[in-house]
Amino acid sequence: MKHSLKITLAYDGTAYAGWQLQPDRLTVQGVLETALQKITGETIRVTASGRTDAGVHALGQVVGLTTHSQLPPEVLQKGLNAVLPDDIVVREVCEAPAGFHAIRDAQRKRYRYVINDAPIRDVFARRYCWQFSQRLDEGAMQRAARGLVGQHDFCSYESRGAPRQTTIRTVYLLEVCRREDGKLQIEIEADGFLYNMVRAIVGTLVEVGRGAEADTYPSQVLAAKNRSAGGATAPPEGLFLVKVDYGNSCESPTSSPA
Amino acid sequence: MKHSLKITLAYDGTAYAGWQLQPDRLTVQGVLETALQKITGETIRVTASGRTDAGVHALGQVVGLTTHSQLPPEVLQKGLNAVLPDDIVVREVCEAPAGFHAIRDAQRKRYRYVINDAPIRDVFARRYCWQFSQRLDEGAMQRAARGLVGQHDFCSYESRGAPRQTTIRTVYLLEVCRREDGKLQIEIEADGFLYNMVRAIVGTLVEVGRGAEADTYPSQVLAAKNRSAGGATAPPEGLFLVKVDYGNSCESPTSSPA
């Protein structure tokens, strides 16, 4: 009898062609499934809360799977971490309710986007932030961000996405702040995200931050219902999937790094 | 007429066979000298405050050179940063007093060593810390560290070094603390360092931190005047050259990251 497990992963996406399995490409899903086979002996297909693109990172990606394996969760975790490469780590394994589905059951997701707008690039964070060539006004960006909070049709913030039933999403939180280390951090939480939505929002807020647009710009883009009205899609290396919230079923651990 | 310049560099040492020029190996010195030639047209030999080993990083390595170039320091800095790879950055260029010598004139150097002793490895910091498999007692390490502060013969903390006039050094500061992100940070400042001295000190303090030795151990190792009395040499990836102090001549900027 198979049972359901929920795995929480962190990964450095730099070396990967994204989350999703692709023939002849190194993907996080492919590497995780290989590791699962090594430890359990089973061929296991996993489902993540969502795909991350090439170069995008995760602090708390959530993956669901079913298995015959009777290994206790902590033993499975240690085994996986022993065989996974050093840019992927299992932060938690727990039993999930029967029928757990990592996409369908997700209630909220949180992403973080990090921008370094210091004149001198940070050689140690170069894979983990957008190195921006100009100082940004975080106050203007924070004011501009307010117009995107709430329930809206975000079709202007979706790039060439797969057809969807609806492009309406609810953004619960969108905060722009400067961290102690001088980098800008944009934190966004919603009930779901369209394809490239966070990177389109960041690219649009940056137009405000660099003074090219007024702080009403993101709302105008929203109203235009046209992707080309907004700023460019921000590069992948600044983006982190922070956590996925499933309500009462086992929580993903909150993040420490990045 | 040549004049003297002082360059302050940060670099991620992961990809390099250390600072010092070697035939057929990628070294930070080699890459910097190539960049200098591109920008000034001159063949310039530089001198650093000291060599860093393969995999060791710098937040504030200081390099001295003489040049005929009349480029203003900020123009030279921008030019170098435009041609250097993204794991090396020039943080500052300034005029140095005539006859400035980056090794001889150095009065103090500061190093930092970072250890991650959390049970789950940090995939984003894997090149920038020692991932240690066991929780360390930072209080015991800090107590043990006190025995190394001051003027001592540090020959027990030197690995297979080149012959030197003296192995006596003065450690002004040696602090062990736990950072906000949970990692251990060992900060050490001295008038100079023997070969692998910081990594030998860290390896010895870790023996105390993991409970294998009492907090008098580093002092006993000092007294033994024998490298094999101490702990193993800690791996290079946790080590950062933070800054070099030249007294009144232009200061190196203090560090932000790592």
Side-chain angles (χ1 to χ4, degrees), chain A residues 10-14 57-59 77 80-92 119-128 180-181 183 240 256-258, chain B residues 10-14 57-59 77 80-92 119-128 180-181 183 240 256-258:
Chain A
Y11 48 82
D12 174 348
T14 308
H57 315 293
L59 299 167
Q77 181 186 11
L80 288 171
N81 283 338
V83 300
L84 283 168
D86 65 0
D87 52 4
I88 304 179
V89 70
V90 174
R91 297 178 56 195
E92 191 179 68
I120 303 292
R121 62 181 179 260
D122 179 348
V123 296
F124 304 102
R126 66 194 193 279
R127 299 178 183 89
Y128 312 123
E180 264 186 48
D181 70 357
K183 296 186 180 65
F240 296 79
S256 51
Chain B
Y11 48 83
D12 174 349
T14 309
H57 315 293
L59 298 166
Q77 181 186 11
L80 288 171
N81 283 338
V83 299
L84 283 167
D86 66 0
D87 53 4
I88 303 179
V89 71
V90 174
R91 296 179 56 195
E92 190 179 71
I120 303 293
R121 61 181 180 259
D122 179 346
V123 295
F124 304 102
R126 66 193 193 279
R127 298 178 184 88
Y128 312 123
E180 264 187 47
D181 70 358
K183 295 185 181 67
F240 296 79
S256 50

Side-chain angles (χ1 to χ4, degrees), chain A residues 115 117 130 132-142 144 176 178 184 202-215 217 230-232:
Chain A
I115 303 176
D117 63 345
W130 181 10
F132 197 77
S133 54
Q134 196 180 329
R135 176 84 177 182
L136 297 168
D137 178 348
E138 70 268 24
M141 291 169 74
Q142 177 60 62
V176 182
R178 198 169 285 282
L184 272 188
V202 170
T204 301
L205 291 175
V206 158
E207 292 303 300
V208 177
R210 71 186 186 90
E213 298 284 352
D215 55 19
Y217 176 58

Side-chain angles (χ1 to χ4, degrees), chain A residues 210-228:
Chain A
R210 71 186 186 90
E213 298 284 352
D215 55 19
T216 52
Y217 176 58
S219 298
Q220 291 162 9
V221 172
L222 206 56
K225 295 192 190 295
N226 179 352
R227 176 67 187 91
S228 63

Side-chain angles (χ1 to χ4, degrees), chain A residues 96-186:
Chain A
F100 172 73
H101 194 282
I103 301 173
R104 213 172 42 222
D105 296 346
Q107 295 184 1
R108 293 182 179 210
K109 283 168 107 169
R110 180 183 284 227
Y111 280 93
R112 178 174 302 156
Y113 196 97
V114 181
I115 303 176
N116 184 27
D117 63 345
I120 303 292
R121 62 181 179 260
D122 179 348
V123 296
F124 304 102
R126 66 194 193 279
R127 299 178 183 89
Y128 312 123
C129 66
W130 181 10
Q131 177 62 51
F132 197 77
S133 54
Q134 196 180 329
R135 176 84 177 182
L136 297 168
D137 178 348
E138 70 268 24
M141 291 169 74
Q142 177 60 62
R143 286 192 299 279
R146 286 189 202 128
L148 299 179
V149 175
Q151 191 178 65
H152 302 284
D153 183 344
F154 281 95
C155 63
S156 291
Y157 291 94
E158 177 179 43
S159 12
R160 44 172 225 294
R164 295 182 187 266
Q165 285 193 313
T166 171
T167 49
I168 293 172
R169 295 290 182 277
T170 301
V171 170
Y172 299 110
L173 175 146
L174 178 51
E175 278 180 359
V176 182
C177 66
R178 198 169 285 282
R179 309 198 304 189
E180 264 186 48
D181 70 357
K183 296 186 180 65
L184 272 188
Q185 182 167 304
I186 300 169

Side-chain angles (χ1 to χ4, degrees), chain B residues 68-136:
Chain B
H68 292 289
S69 167
Q70 293 303 319
L71 291 173
E74 33 330 330
V75 174
L76 183 57
Q77 181 186 11
K78 284 200 175 167
L80 288 171
N81 283 338
V83 299
L84 283 167
D86 66 0
D87 53 4
I88 303 179
V89 71
V90 174
R91 296 179 56 195
E92 190 179 71
V93 178
C94 65
E95 296 285 342
F100 171 74
H101 194 281
I103 302 173
R104 214 173 39 223
D105 297 346
Q107 295 184 358
R108 293 182 180 212
K109 285 169 104 170
R110 181 183 285 228
Y111 282 93
R112 179 174 302 156
Y113 198 96
V114 182
I115 303 175
N116 184 26
D117 63 345
I120 303 293
R121 61 181 180 259
D122 179 346
V123 295
F124 304 102
R126 66 193 193 279
R127 298 178 184 88
Y128 312 123
C129 66
W130 181 11
Q131 176 62 50
F132 197 77
S133 53
Q134 195 180 329
R135 176 83 177 183
L136 295 168

